[in-house]
Amino acid sequence: MENCKVTQDGLRQSIPPKSMMRGLGLDYPPREIKNCLYAFYKQEVEKRKNKMIFTDQLKNIISDIGDFLTIEDRKYGLFLPGYVGNGKTTMMKAIRDVIAYLTEKGKISYYECSKYPYFITANQMVNILISDLTEYRKMKGSKFLFIDELGSEQTKVSTYGMVYRPFYDVLSYRYENMLPTFISSNLSPSDIKEKYEDDRVVDRMREMFKIISFKIDSYR
């Protein structure tokens, strides 16, 4: 029988198997991961009709992310803060595609019905909560979750007579279950507390996330 718990809103929430509750430390050579990141990042840049410029900054970011994916044994989240238009979303998609590629190769195990990474914007996260609680629970419990443009969404919403704080709810669940989470944002780490008005958000992000700041020149 599937393990589950009843949440405060009375809904049943699946609990990931203990064997799946792990951080990163992907079992793949770091150099190959970095090469894959470069290739998928370049593909995303060119898909948008832009020219790939492989600067030293970008090289260092790819190297740091590759090390995070393959070596990190404590942090299980990655936070990419930076200015608008400098490639954060592109890198998030590149990481997603690397994980999907490794899943196809059988290098990463996955939950049933959660084979591929779940990629959404922060605004979409809120819209899913309002429109489809079943899909919201699926998103919240996915093995790999990517949240793009954090900080652009409403921090509190009302639905079905309940008041939710979507990001806090998702973050808390993934913190408790040690689920790999990737976030990009125009907010700096110091802006997070002001935006979400909760010390626990800052504390949990500090424990969960490795921060890699994006300071690449804008493609726009």
Side-chain angles (χ1 to χ4, degrees):
M1 181 177 178
E2 180 185 29
N3 292 330
C4 64
K5 64 180 178 181
V6 178
T7 61
Q8 290 182 345
D9 55 12
L11 298 169
R12 295 174 70 83
Q13 170 70 60
S14 297
I15 300 175
K18 288 291 184 183
S19 61
M20 292 294 191
M21 294 179 186
R22 59 186 293 266
L24 278 301
L26 301 181
D27 185 18
Y28 215 67
R31 184 179 181 84
E32 292 188 37
I33 288 287
K34 294 171 188 181
N35 288 339
C36 285
L37 274 172
Y38 171 84
F40 283 121
Y41 186 88
K42 184 173 185 289
Q43 178 178 286
E44 283 294 327
V45 169
E46 294 176 348
K47 187 187 298 183
R48 304 298 302 174
K49 308 300 182 183
N50 290 311
K51 182 180 179 181
M52 173 74 167
I53 303 172
F54 193 49
T55 64
D56 288 341
Q57 284 181 320
L58 179 57
K59 180 180 179 180
N60 290 336
I61 286 173
I62 288 176
S63 181
D64 288 346
I65 293 174
D67 288 342
F68 169 75
L69 292 174
T70 55
I71 298 172
E72 177 63 57
D73 60 359
R74 188 170 65 89
K75 304 288 187 181
Y76 46 96
L78 184 64
F79 181 56
L80 304 178
Y83 296 117
V84 174
N86 63 0
K88 298 186 303 298
T89 297
T90 302
M91 185 59 75
M92 290 271 282
K93 290 180 178 178
I95 300 168
R96 173 201 63 188
D97 291 345
V98 167
I99 291 173
Y101 169 77
L102 293 177
T103 301
E104 286 290 345
K105 292 290 185 180
K107 299 295 183 179
I108 299 176
S109 59
Y110 55 87
Y111 302 156
E112 185 177 356
C113 300
S114 182
K115 182 174 183 178
Y116 297 110
Y118 203 117
F119 193 106
I120 55 169
T121 66
N123 280 322
Q124 288 170 339
M125 174 181 65
V126 173
N127 291 337
I128 290 171
L129 169 60
I130 294 171
S131 63
D132 190 339
L133 282 173
T134 299
E135 184 65 21
Y136 175 76
R137 294 195 299 273
K138 177 183 174 183
M139 174 270 296
K140 184 168 71 172
S142 59
K143 182 171 184 180
F144 295 100
L145 176 62
F146 289 73
I147 304 175
D148 198 24
E149 301 176 357
L150 183 72
S152 62
E153 84 286 1
Q154 295 174 260
T155 57
K156 295 180 182 179
V157 295
S158 298
T159 183
Y160 299 101
M162 300 286 292
V163 176
Y164 290 88
R165 293 184 293 162
F167 177 59
Y168 175 76
D169 179 44
V170 170
L171 179 70
S172 296
Y173 181 82
R174 299 187 70 79
Y175 170 83
E176 293 295 336
N177 292 287
M178 299 180 67
L179 293 170
T181 308
F182 302 80
I183 294 176
S184 77
S185 180
N186 297 333
L187 299 177
S188 68
S190 60
D191 294 329
I192 296 291
K193 180 178 179 180
E194 181 178 353
K195 171 72 177 181
Y196 296 100
E197 300 178 332
D198 194 319
D199 290 339
R200 290 170 296 180
V201 170
V202 177
D203 288 341
R204 288 174 181 180
M205 289 189 72
R206 184 180 293 118
E207 181 177 339
M208 284 177 66
F209 290 90
K210 178 178 178 64
I211 300 173
I212 298 179
S213 297
F214 249 72
K215 298 178 181 179
I216 300 171
D217 291 337
S218 176
Y219 279 106
R220 297 176 186 171

